[in-house]
Amino acid sequence: MERELIKNLLARQPVGEQVTVAGWVKTRRDASGFSFLEIGDGSSVRGLQVIAESTLANYQDEIKKMSTGCSVIVNGELRESPAKGQSVELLANRIELVGWADPAHYPLQKKRHSFEFLREITHLRPRTNALAAVARVRSHLSMAVHRFFQERQFTFIHTPIITTSDCEGAGELFQVITEQSAQTAPREQARDFFGRPAGLTVSGQLQAEVYASALGSVYTFGPTFRAENSNTSRHLAEFWMLEPEMAFCDLACAVELARELLVFLIESNLETCGEDLELFDRFVEKGLLAKLGKLASADFVRITYTEAIEELAKSGRSFEFPHEWGMDLQSEHERFLVEEVFQAPLIVTDYPATLKPFYMRLNDDGVTVAAMDVLIGGIGEIIGGSQREERYEVLLQRMEQGGIDIESLQWYLDLRRYGTVPHAGFGLGFERLMQCVTGMANIREVIGFPRAPGFAPC
Ligand code: ATP
Ligand code: MN
């Protein structure tokens, strides 16, 4: 008999039909003459209640020994449930034990566990309601990303994971060398395989610009690596970044796309993952649904970096870090502006050139660049982007000033020599978005296998 997902059964409620489900036991409770088993299969927050009568052949030997975590296949008749809080239940004809989970050792109990504890059992945490919901939201959001861009006729491109251009500057790169060279050659000679130093990508942007310069509007969405030795709740060493890049597009056009994208993703998640979001609203961040609803219809406030500095100055507030023109906005500044001054998502543009990478387009004032950061409450920066410098001479000068290796980026300069166009793009940190949508305080909860300093369990 064909198996059916619990989610679909609960939606369809085919009372009187014979159905089969397969999953893991959440709880077992014995009554006289029968037992209740709650089965979950990961398709839904809710499990299915199964009634196992003592007349079943394996009742004494197996069913009465089943405990949280063991896997089963159940066949039976779906019927209306007399119990409160559920509409249907499954009266079992047959319960096949697939795999035991020794209760003396199985680390998940019926009670709620802390997220810190669950991180120590990365391989089992998706069995919990919260982490399973995270996985489902992640899947839906990923597909929503593709829907958004495909509807707008962007081309999905795959940028390389191993790169030979470090576009964000030194320090955050993981070098890639062969095992053999690691054992024999000093690290600085590790040009063994590619003939030049190579590393894991910190951004697919430069390569996305190559494709934008040929196909117009493109996006890349994949893993990104940063050796950030900061143990924060917002940084991972491996995270997913979504990077659209558009030819014939300026900063304003990138700002507009960023806003549309965020609204689309939040709305489509509210539509498809309501049950999961309700769980987060109850147990992770109170008021999450209201917050997301507000975010989806919010007016994004747009200010320049210079205006942001003025706001901070006139606030009279004392901050840990200074906030003078020319200094980077710290997250305390960003959060103050978003959460207290404007109380809305904030797009800060036109930062001092000295704070931003060489590829951002120099404004006419000669001191600021056409950069944008999108800041949201609780998270801070979720998107960073810019219009790119499309003028060969200006770009060359910026690279020279910044001490960038011109030779290894001649291909990048060439894009400005042959049919250059104004273009712009941005990077959205997918896990930061996941934090916003799920309310998870720590970024390690929104990715299946988090990597951070000293942490990469499986
Ligand atoms: P931050 O200042 O928060 O470290 P950044 O300025 O280094 O961010 P960008 O280089 O602009 O970030 O990257 C684009 C986006 O990628 C950021 O807006 C953020 O959402 C995300 N991001 C950057 N670094 C990380 C990281 N280590 N872990 C998770 N997401 C990240
Ligand atoms: Mn960073």
Side-chain angles (χ1 to χ4, degrees):
M1 188 172 283
E2 213 172 300
R3 274 187 279 130
E4 195 158 354
L5 293 178
I6 289 173
K7 171 181 131 189
N8 297 339
L9 278 181
L10 294 176
R12 212 159 67 79
Q13 306 208 353
V15 169
E17 242 180 62
Q18 292 289 314
V19 298
T20 304
V21 298
W24 294 266
V25 172
K26 292 186 169 198
T27 56
R28 192 199 78 233
R29 203 154 47 81
D30 299 325
S32 76
F34 65 96
S35 296
F36 295 107
L37 291 172
E38 200 200 345
I39 311 292
D41 65 0
S43 64
S44 142
V45 171
R46 289 171 298 164
L48 184 64
Q49 170 145 295
V50 172
I51 313 294
E53 294 185 324
S54 58
T55 48
L56 290 173
N58 59 345
Y59 185 74
Q60 290 301 338
D61 289 349
E62 291 185 332
I63 294 171
K64 279 201 83 170
K65 293 177 190 154
M66 287 178 179
S67 55
T68 306
C70 69
S71 47
V72 291
I73 299 174
V74 185
N75 169 255
E77 185 189 310
L78 205 72
R79 64 179 198 188
E80 265 170 46
S81 172
K84 268 217 303 247
Q86 62 190 21
S87 43
V88 287
E89 61 187 23
L90 190 60
L91 179 64
N93 298 327
R94 194 177 123 79
I95 300 181
E96 181 190 336
L97 171 78
V98 181
W100 288 115
D102 181 352
H105 297 108
Y106 188 62
L108 291 169
Q109 308 298 318
K110 195 188 162 191
K111 67 177 177 109
R112 279 176 67 197
H113 297 281
S114 75
F115 291 126
E116 289 77 10
F117 168 75
L118 292 175
R119 268 180 234 146
E120 291 166 21
I121 47 165
T122 314
H123 60 303
L124 293 171
R125 67 178 186 163
R127 299 265 186 103
T128 65
N129 279 339
L131 273 288
V134 164
R136 288 188 295 266
V137 168
R138 215 183 142 98
S139 169
H140 281 285
L141 268 182
S142 304
M143 287 305 110
V145 161
H146 289 295
R147 243 188 0 263
F148 178 86
F149 286 107
Q150 296 294 322
E151 278 171 9
R152 285 163 182 74
Q153 306 207 328
F154 280 57
T155 304
F156 177 34
I157 58 162
H158 298 140
T159 46
I161 286 178
I162 297 177
T163 56
T164 53
S165 54
D166 174 8
C167 87
E168 300 292 321
E172 292 194 347
L173 195 77
F174 287 103
Q175 227 192 332
V176 173
I177 54 175
T178 62
E179 178 69 26
Q180 197 185 14
S181 145
Q183 284 166 5
T184 58
R187 287 188 75 91
E188 60 275 18
Q189 287 174 14
R191 295 163 176 268
D192 58 342
F193 197 86
F194 300 102
R196 61 202 302 181
L200 297 179
T201 182
V202 295
S203 160
Q205 179 203 318
L206 301 191
Q207 287 88 1
E209 285 185 56
V210 169
Y211 272 78
S213 301
L215 284 91
S217 296
V218 302
Y219 66 106
T220 177
F221 182 29
T224 306
F225 306 85
R226 294 197 187 169
E228 310 221 54
N229 203 2
S230 48
N231 251 311
T232 79
S233 59
R234 309 264 181 278
H235 291 89
L236 289 164
E238 176 178 316
F239 62 100
W240 279 59
M241 185 143 64
L242 165 65
E243 296 176 273
E245 189 70 37
M246 289 99 37
F248 305 102
C249 170
D250 61 7
L251 186 70
C253 137
V255 164
E256 184 48 27
L257 189 83
R259 194 192 59 78
E260 276 177 31
L261 172 68
L262 285 174
V263 168
F264 178 92
L265 293 178
I266 288 167
E267 274 179 352
S268 83
N269 219 252
L270 282 167
E271 264 167 44
T272 49
C273 294
E275 187 193 71
D276 295 321
L277 299 184
E278 274 164 29
L279 179 89
F280 298 133
D281 191 307
R282 238 180 312 146
F283 298 114
V284 179
E285 181 184 343
K286 297 256 178 294
L288 175 75
L289 286 168
K291 177 192 89 174
L292 293 176
K294 226 175 108 188
L295 201 54
S297 61
D299 283 326
F300 284 47
V301 177
R302 189 176 154 173
I303 61 169
T304 65
Y305 165 87
T306 303
E307 288 163 349
I309 293 292
E310 284 164 7
E311 283 293 339
L312 293 172
K314 84 176 186 215
S315 75
R317 188 58 98 94
S318 68
F319 294 98
E320 189 186 337
F321 293 94
H323 46 84
E324 274 149 43
W325 203 96
M327 292 179 165
D328 220 347
L329 295 177
Q330 300 295 327
S331 68
E332 57 168 346
H333 306 139
E334 297 176 342
R335 294 191 61 171
F336 172 71
L337 292 170
V338 175
E339 290 163 23
E340 296 185 42
V341 180
F342 295 103
Q343 298 181 15
L346 191 59
I347 302 178
V348 184
T349 62
D350 304 293
Y351 285 73
T354 49
L355 295 178
K356 294 288 183 186
F358 69 92
Y359 51 73
M360 296 193 178
R361 190 180 196 277
L362 197 63
N363 287 329
D364 292 343
D365 62 16
V367 289
T368 61
V369 287
M372 65 140 168
D373 279 0
V374 180
L375 315 175
I376 56 171
I379 306 284
E381 180 185 331
I382 189 166
I383 288 179
S386 68
Q387 184 170 343
R388 322 305 189 187
E389 185 55 74
E390 87 285 11
R391 297 162 296 186
Y392 186 92
E393 291 303 328
V394 183
L395 181 61
L396 183 64
Q397 201 186 4
R398 292 262 304 173
M399 289 171 79
E400 282 167 354
Q401 282 165 356
I404 307 290
D405 180 18
I406 310 274
E407 204 185 320
S408 72
L409 281 175
Q410 189 56 53
W411 60 269
Y412 187 71
L413 277 159
D414 272 359
L415 299 175
R416 280 73 182 165
R417 221 166 21 163
Y418 309 125
T420 192
V421 286
H423 61 292
F426 57 81
L428 166 90
F430 192 63
E431 284 74 18
R432 301 242 177 121
L433 174 72
M434 281 291 299
Q435 281 188 277
C436 168
V437 168
T438 61
M440 286 291 182
N442 195 307
I443 198 165
R444 296 181 195 193
E445 265 69 83
V446 298
I447 187 165
F449 302 94
R451 273 87 180 89
F455 192 83
C458 76

